Amino acid sequence: MSLFATRPIVKGEEITLHYVNLTDSRAIRRGRLLDMYYFHCECEYCNLPTTEAVAASDAARLELERWPRESYCMPHEWCTNLSLSDNYLVDGHKRCIELHEKEGITDDTYVRHIEELAIVDATLGDEQNCRLWAQKTVEQSEIWHRPEKVTLWREWLLHPKIDFWGLRIKEKSRRR
């Protein structure tokens, strides 16, 4: 068995594994862990100090779970759907990234939000933000051992205005 860290680990820090769906509520996560693995989780995200903190965490995780079903469209779909605001996916992905970080969920979905935010910024012609999120995509892809993504985004950082650059802006101009 191999383990890969999704973020830097300091010496002496505990390493954890995801045994359950991390967007489930605390009660569901703890129940499944007890039923399936016979332990009561005491991590910082399950061992919150108040019922209000638990409710806020459960709400954040529910929002993350619902995003793909209720709010999400792919960047190429949004690019041509001018009924959606320019910030629709920017705000949505930033919100999901914020919730992932707040809840300590650094999984594949977290990385996908970062990468798609770079793509969305590229379609808007926003070089500064695109570079920021592209660099974060490179960093996360290195952590997740995805060399093809590292190569792709490093190449893009060297030659940014290719392929989908400014596509949404072009689409808006074309329809005027």
Side-chain angles (χ1 to χ4, degrees):
M1 177 165 75
S2 298
L3 297 175
F4 298 99
T6 59
R7 61 175 178 73
I9 300 171
V10 298
K11 186 176 180 177
E13 182 179 353
E14 181 179 18
I15 298 173
T16 60
L17 298 173
H18 302 195
Y19 290 100
V20 293
N21 180 350
L22 297 177
T23 59
D24 284 343
S25 69
R26 180 180 85 155
I28 290 172
R29 291 191 320 269
R30 278 186 154 179
R32 286 188 181 145
L33 290 171
L34 193 56
D35 290 345
M36 294 169 62
Y37 301 102
Y38 307 106
F39 74 90
H40 182 75
C41 185
E42 292 293 331
C43 78
E44 68 179 290
Y45 301 101
C46 285
N47 200 23
L48 296 169
T50 65
T51 55
E52 293 82 11
V54 171
S57 175
D58 286 351
R61 288 166 189 261
L62 182 59
E63 187 177 342
L64 282 171
E65 182 184 319
R66 287 183 173 167
W67 166 255
R69 290 193 319 266
E70 297 176 3
S71 307
Y72 187 73
C73 66
M74 297 298 288
H76 67 277
E77 295 167 339
W78 159 84
C79 207
T80 58
N81 184 349
L82 300 182
S83 67
L84 297 171
S85 74
D86 284 353
N87 285 331
Y88 176 78
L89 285 182
V90 172
D91 294 344
H93 284 300
K94 282 183 177 178
R95 174 69 177 156
C96 288
I97 291 165
E98 171 191 331
L99 292 173
H100 273 272
E101 290 172 353
K102 178 181 168 220
E103 294 299 312
I105 303 172
T106 53
D107 60 359
D108 194 47
T109 306
Y110 170 73
V111 179
R112 192 168 56 245
H113 285 297
I114 292 170
E115 181 176 28
E116 289 189 7
L117 189 49
I119 293 168
V120 167
D121 283 328
T123 65
L124 289 169
D126 183 344
E127 187 170 352
Q128 181 179 354
N129 281 316
C130 185
R131 282 185 176 282
L132 169 84
W133 295 107
Q135 184 58 48
K136 289 182 187 237
T137 299
V138 168
E139 292 164 8
Q140 286 298 314
S141 296
E142 286 173 336
I143 291 169
W144 282 82
H145 302 279
R146 298 215 170 95
E148 71 287 350
K149 294 277 187 185
V150 171
T151 302
L152 175 82
W153 284 101
R154 280 193 176 144
E155 177 65 25
W156 189 91
L157 284 164
L158 292 173
H159 309 286
K161 296 182 181 176
I162 56 174
D163 294 340
F164 46 84
W165 186 260
L167 215 59
R168 177 140 170 120
I169 304 306
K170 291 173 191 169
E171 184 67 24
K172 287 170 81 171
S173 296
R174 189 179 69 77
R175 292 198 190 177
R176 284 188 188 150

